[in-house]
């Protein structure tokens, strides 16, 4: 892109797929990103805005005037538009609603009535419906007259006169069954239908488990109000995975590689502040044993090893349990078995590494008592690590806190405090 | 399930969807899981085996005899079967191949010829092909004669007499266009086609970016050899996300909540061993300053705070950069801008928390010099954290090591060593 002329760059850029343009925009620092965004043609603009991550999108939207934004939204599906409108200033959402025809406005309002992360918020309203008393032949003629079907149409929806959902007519059946049969003979009444208030995460699990392409969304009275397609579900799955990794590192929703320095600093400061508190708690525990350390300085040298091993072992258990909790696989019936298993692993690994570390400590400091003490502290800390690895996420969940968010901090605080306390405490009792 | 009779439990269990049975099996300890597995009916067995995670699957397979395994595999699609056969003992794969008819055996061998994580390994061979000179009407009659189409068929593949791929005929066009038109007039020659050796990760990105349901797979000579469907791609995305979280915690492929204690202990020991080495390196650095600590014990109390803040700040940068690397968004053109930004954040957060920590240290120990020294060490360590957060993943990638696997260990080793070295070193120079 560098070195070429502007028209050349524009042509090369717009020859790419919108998803590739989005990737490219995300990889540029803010100033260059703006220049590049100027080159994206209007017909690609809407699709590119949908493909970049939320944070980059807000930045691009700030650069656009009302006319450009209206043009970008004009080709969007209702579900994408509903999602997109969350990021727009209030004044503009009014302008967009006014620019739509009656039917589309009603459809958009139907989607906006549900939370963004529910089935209703994910759905599109572009359903093709048929009545059960038609023959397949008539349905085919109807489709030909219609001239097109929405993307990702793997079945048509069969509804009663009052829009009550009766079942689905699979396109594959439409193609392979006798054209004279009525829809009622071919329709699948067992097909999955999704309640509009079902959380997006559960919708994703259902699509994944049952290999769905699309599924009808029903309101609380069983009427068809839209459909969810697999492409949106793939985005939900990817976003969720991404968010959990960013969250664990305390990055919050910082997805933009080139977010402004000052806003990144503030966002990350929160996590650093929480960590400072827990680190000071650990420091306080060490402070309780100042006298002991003064007499045996080797303790100060070795104490971080005990704390750090506990943190690693605890994180292993925590990760496994947090994941199982998210999958709904931990319940009162198996908590006990899980705890026994993790404590067993903690003790076994504790004994093994305690022996090795004790050997190293004895060789290093020539003091058998220090070896014995560090070994005992190690076994204690890895036992506690197993206990907290199971207990902390369960407790957080009961308190209504996301274990993926807070689990790591709470756990390492416990293993730091217990690690320092056990090691320095035993040393105070037996060495001084 | 408890309390009821066995036939009752069996009925309840088999009324569930295979994916739900799989979830349930995963949530039980090994002994109960075996009992429950006995109750799963043969017709559900194959599907359940495909839905449980790799580790649980191996455990269940061990319980089955050859006849049961042959029965379970009999209904599987070729792509699933190819995947499944990786877990079977060699003797059994022979028996399965012998039990198949010629055509299916050839298909299976075509899939097995490619690596599991490539397009060829993901593909299924159940393609429906048509010639370009037929009319849509004839295609419809052919489909009706065929009686069924494979699941997730959103288009048919148009091939030449020599199986060369020419384009796709969308089912939606088949339904809506004039039945008298020839396929050649309707086919889409621009449709995405995937080379058999493309890595699964790139296939997933392509499906996600372009909202695909299915895509043709071509061999190196442009012949159609199979197709990939979105359900398998969803599994790839989920598995990848899962693996990266398990990997970061050093759990390797431990996905079974109730893996046997001894094998879990061994698997996790590796990560603990690596951590022991890095912790000992940090201890060695502290050991260099034993004399200083002996004179000012407050240093031992405060030193873990400096190390730990560096670790957190570095992990934030590392997570952001590792993710961008995986998305292909980091290249030589933007490394410099990225580094400048992350160092800026490191310095700003360093200055802010240095001031706060210095205040706390002065109040706690009544010694202004200690406050100044810890503040300086904090700024140095957060600067180095930003530097390594960008540098470590780039360096690991150049060395061919997965940054998601090794990044965290290398980074915290650097921030521990630098944290202790800066704090204790400055103290030795200015306090002693």
């Amino acid at each position: 892109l560098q070195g070429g002329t502007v028209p050349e760059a524009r042509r090369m850029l717009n020859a790419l797929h919108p998803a590739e343009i989005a990737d490219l925009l995300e990889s540029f620092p803010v100033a260059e990103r703006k220049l590049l965004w100027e080159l994206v043609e209007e017909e690609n603009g809407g699709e590119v805005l949908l493909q970049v991550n939320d944070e980059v999108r807000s930045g691009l939207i700030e650069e656009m005037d009302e006319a450009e934004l209206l043009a970008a939204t004009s080709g969007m599906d209702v579900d994408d538009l509903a999602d997109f409108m969350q990021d727009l200033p209030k004044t503009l959402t009014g302008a967009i609603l006014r620019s739509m025809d009656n039917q589309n406005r009603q459809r958009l309002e139907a989607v906006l009535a549900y939370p963004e992360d529910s089935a209703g918020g994910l759905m599109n309203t572009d359903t093709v419906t048929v009545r059960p008393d038609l023959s397949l032949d008539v349905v085919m003629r109807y489709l030909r007259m219609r001239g097109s079907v929405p993307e990702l149409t793997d079945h048509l929806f069969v509804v009663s006169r009052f829009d009550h959902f009766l079942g689905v007519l699979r396109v594959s059946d439409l193609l392979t069954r006798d054209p004279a049969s009525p829809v009622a003979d071919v329709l699948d009444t067992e097909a999955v239908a999704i309640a509009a208030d079902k959380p997006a995460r559960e919708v994703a699990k259902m699509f994944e488990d049952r290999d769905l392409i699309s599924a009808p969304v029903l309101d609380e009275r069983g009427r068809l109000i839209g459909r969810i397609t697999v492409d949106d579900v793939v985005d939900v799955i990817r976003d969720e995975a991404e968010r959990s990794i960013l969250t664990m590192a305390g990055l919050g929703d910082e997805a933009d590689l080139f977010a402004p320095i000052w806003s990144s600093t503030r966002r990350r400061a929160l996590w650093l502040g929480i960590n400072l508190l827990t680190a000071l708690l650990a420091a306080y525990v060490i402070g309780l044993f100042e006298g002991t350390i003064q007499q045996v300085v080797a303790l100060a040298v070795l104490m971080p090893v005990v704390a750090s091993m506990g943190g690693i072992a605890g994180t292993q258990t925590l990760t496994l349990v947090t994941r199982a909790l998210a999958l709904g696989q931990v319940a009162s019936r198996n908590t006990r078995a899980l705890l026994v298993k993790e404590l067993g692993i903690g003790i076994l690994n504790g004994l093994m590494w305690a022996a090795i570390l004790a050997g190293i400590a004895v060789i290093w400091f020539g003091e058998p008592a220090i070896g014995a003490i560090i070994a005992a502290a190690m076994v204690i800390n890895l036992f506690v690590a197993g206990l907290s690895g199971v207990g902390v996420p369960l407790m957080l969940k009961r308190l209504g806190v996301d274990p993926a968010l807070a689990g790591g901090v709470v756990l390492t605080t416990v293993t730091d405090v217990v690690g320092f306390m056990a090691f320095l405490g035993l040393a105070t009792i037996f060495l001084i």
Side-chain angles (χ1 to χ4, degrees), chain A residues 40-357:
Chain A
V40 175
E41 277 162 19
E42 203 173 281
E43 61 184 89
N44 289 326
E47 192 55 37
V48 172
L49 281 177
L50 291 174
Q51 295 271 3
V52 294
N53 64 52
D54 290 2
E55 205 180 356
V56 172
R57 185 189 301 149
S58 318
L60 297 178
I61 287 175
E62 277 172 26
E63 299 296 305
M64 297 168 76
D65 61 29
E66 192 174 313
E68 287 171 333
L69 277 166
L70 280 178
T73 56
S74 66
M76 287 185 188
D77 286 340
V78 182
D79 55 343
D80 292 331
L81 184 55
D83 201 19
F84 185 69
M85 282 175 67
Q86 320 279 349
D87 291 334
L88 295 181
K90 269 276 169 293
T91 51
L92 214 67
T93 55
I96 289 176
L97 282 169
R98 276 191 303 280
S99 77
M100 299 174 85
D101 63 33
N102 240 324
Q103 194 193 20
N104 274 322
R105 183 161 52 241
Q106 277 172 12
R107 287 177 171 175
L108 179 60
E109 282 168 347
V111 178
L112 286 172
Y114 293 95
E116 204 183 347
D117 58 349
S118 71
L122 278 180
M123 76 182 175
N124 209 330
T125 51
D126 59 352
T127 54
V128 180
T129 57
V130 295
R131 294 286 161 72
D133 50 355
L134 302 176
S135 72
L136 297 190
D137 209 27
V138 174
V139 172
M140 301 249 256
R141 261 186 289 144
Y142 161 66
L143 291 179
R144 234 167 273 142
M145 220 176 59
R146 213 176 177 276
S148 74
V149 292
E151 279 180 63
L152 310 184
T153 294
D154 63 330
H155 43 232
L156 312 178
F157 301 112
V158 185
V159 294
S160 74
R161 212 169 347 146
F162 309 104
D163 262 353
H164 266 93
F165 175 73
L166 301 174
V168 303
L169 170 61
R170 274 192 286 270
V171 166
S172 56
D173 286 333
L174 186 59
L175 287 171
T176 54
R177 303 287 286 266
D178 177 9
S181 345
V183 168
D185 285 5
V186 178
L187 92 141
D188 180 0
T189 55
E190 304 279 286
V192 173
I194 297 177
D197 56 1
K198 201 179 189 74
R201 174 194 280 244
E202 288 174 30
V203 173
K205 177 96 172 81
M206 185 174 261
F207 265 72
E208 201 186 335
D209 283 349
R210 313 212 170 185
D211 296 348
L212 303 177
I213 297 298
S214 71
V217 178
L218 310 185
D219 69 9
E220 68 284 1
R221 288 152 70 189
R223 284 178 314 191
L224 180 73
I225 54 173
R227 67 177 190 129
I228 295 178
T229 48
V230 69
D231 54 329
D232 296 319
V233 170
V234 168
D235 293 343
V236 169
I237 293 175
R238 180 72 87 177
D239 285 353
E240 222 181 76
E242 196 128 279
R243 200 164 35 221
S244 72
I245 288 181
L246 293 177
T247 300
M248 282 193 306
L251 287 166
D253 50 0
E254 176 171 339
D256 182 1
L257 197 56
F258 289 104
I261 290 186
W262 184 236
S263 80
S264 285
T265 302
R266 258 181 307 157
R267 245 184 315 206
R268 298 194 201 169
L270 172 67
W271 205 240
L272 287 166
I274 293 172
N275 184 64
L276 183 62
L277 287 179
T278 68
L280 284 172
L281 182 62
Y284 171 77
V285 172
I286 300 172
L288 298 177
F289 300 97
E290 267 187 75
T292 310
I293 293 173
Q294 186 118 45
Q295 290 182 51
V296 190
V297 180
L299 298 177
V301 175
L302 290 173
M303 68 187 183
V305 179
V306 180
S308 137
M309 292 293 277
I312 294 287
T315 304
Q316 292 178 329
T317 303
L318 177 78
T319 303
L320 202 72
V321 174
T322 302
R323 171 177 164 278
L325 266 177
L327 293 173
Q329 289 180 344
V330 180
S332 55
R333 68 176 150 76
N334 62 7
T335 313
R336 199 191 146 89
L338 189 59
L339 195 61
V340 167
K341 178 205 148 203
E342 291 298 325
L343 291 179
I345 296 172
I347 293 171
L348 285 176
N349 261 322
L351 289 172
M352 186 165 83
W353 294 110
I356 292 171
L357 183 56

